[in-house]
Amino acid sequence: MICSTSLNLSSCLVSEAQWDAAEAFAHRAIRLAQEMKLPNVEGMSHTVLSLSYTRQAEASKESHQSQLFSQALAALERSEPLLLSSHHVFYNTANRVRLQFRCGTVDAGQASQALRMMLPTHQEPYQKAWIHYLLWQIEKNPADQEQAASLYRQIYKEDNDSDYAEYYKELTGNELERSAPLAAPPWPTGEVVLWSELTKSIDDILLNS
């Protein structure tokens, strides 16, 4: 489905710091999801758009950060009524607190309190790791730093997700040993051709967005 493909491409481009392309694909996914009446896909597209603005703000000069964080918060708020997955709802709730702090609508004490109140009801390791990571970003508390790093080291062994390794490196300055990637199963020829057809016109999509 071209709608999901646009969303996936946007997410990949965010990881590559290709902000303009990521945002173009996210906006395209939003339009398509609205036309096809796919609210969950529309919500996830707004979430990816918010992530793009957030990452861009963090990589920008301080004078440009305020507007980008505001755009990120607005995109996140648009996504919230549309999401169905508890996984995505969790990240949106925690990230909304972070962005409110970045935008100056709440202070560090209020943001930290809101995040700590989430801990008793969010006990999955990835949830606790993200909450402690955000707390460390806000308060620079060594206890949260240590807790987040320990959790990311644990779940990276189980999941091998490169994002977890990046968070661990940011928290500790050290790299986790990467496991050998599993060999990808062979794809049927038809699926390869379909992917090629969907991705060969990226430049056209960007120009027409």
Side-chain angles (χ1 to χ4, degrees):
M1 185 187 296
I2 189 66
C3 181
S4 296
T5 301
S6 295
L7 173 58
N8 290 336
L9 285 170
S10 178
S11 182
C12 290
L13 289 162
V14 170
S15 299
E16 297 296 324
Q18 301 294 320
W19 316 123
D20 290 343
E23 289 156 21
F25 275 106
H27 283 298
R28 180 177 175 81
I30 290 166
R31 290 197 302 270
L32 290 168
Q34 290 171 341
E35 292 170 5
M36 300 172 71
K37 302 188 185 307
L38 298 170
N40 194 50
V41 176
E42 181 186 349
M44 289 190 291
S45 301
H46 282 296
T47 298
V48 171
L49 186 60
S50 175
L51 178 61
S52 180
Y53 289 136
T54 300
R55 295 261 179 99
Q56 189 176 353
E58 291 172 342
S60 299
K61 295 180 180 178
E62 189 172 348
S63 58
H64 297 152
Q65 288 182 342
S66 178
Q67 180 181 353
L68 288 165
F69 280 131
S70 295
Q71 288 176 291
L73 181 58
L76 198 70
E77 290 174 340
R78 285 193 294 271
S79 76
E80 287 177 348
L82 303 168
L83 295 174
L84 301 177
S85 163
S86 59
H87 173 83
H88 294 128
V89 171
F90 161 73
Y91 275 114
N92 267 35
T93 302
N95 288 337
R96 176 162 32 87
V97 175
R98 171 174 64 164
L99 288 170
Q100 287 172 336
F101 170 68
R102 293 285 197 174
C103 291
T105 57
V106 299
D107 62 26
Q110 292 170 318
S112 297
Q113 182 181 20
L115 289 169
R116 292 196 189 281
M117 288 178 65
M118 292 179 65
L119 281 169
T121 54
H122 296 86
Q123 288 294 301
E124 291 294 327
Y126 78 88
Q127 294 174 330
K128 293 191 293 182
W130 188 242
I131 292 170
H132 284 294
Y133 170 78
L134 294 183
L135 285 165
W136 170 70
Q137 282 195 324
I138 293 168
E139 295 184 331
K140 298 302 180 186
N141 185 331
D144 288 308
Q145 181 182 15
E146 182 178 347
Q147 183 75 355
S150 176
L151 286 162
Y152 277 128
R153 183 172 60 249
Q154 170 194 334
I155 56 181
Y156 180 72
K157 291 179 181 178
E158 301 167 2
D159 195 305
N160 203 28
D161 187 315
S162 61
D163 283 343
Y164 297 148
E166 288 300 319
Y167 294 136
Y168 181 84
K169 183 178 180 179
E170 182 181 350
L171 287 156
T172 67
N174 300 319
E175 293 191 3
L176 289 169
E177 183 178 350
R178 297 184 182 275
S179 303
L182 297 175
W187 281 20
T189 304
E191 292 187 28
V192 176
V193 173
L194 176 61
W195 180 255
S196 175
E197 289 300 315
L198 287 172
T199 56
K200 70 181 181 180
S201 301
I202 289 177
D203 289 340
D204 291 336
I205 291 173
L206 290 174
L207 290 171
N208 294 321
S209 295

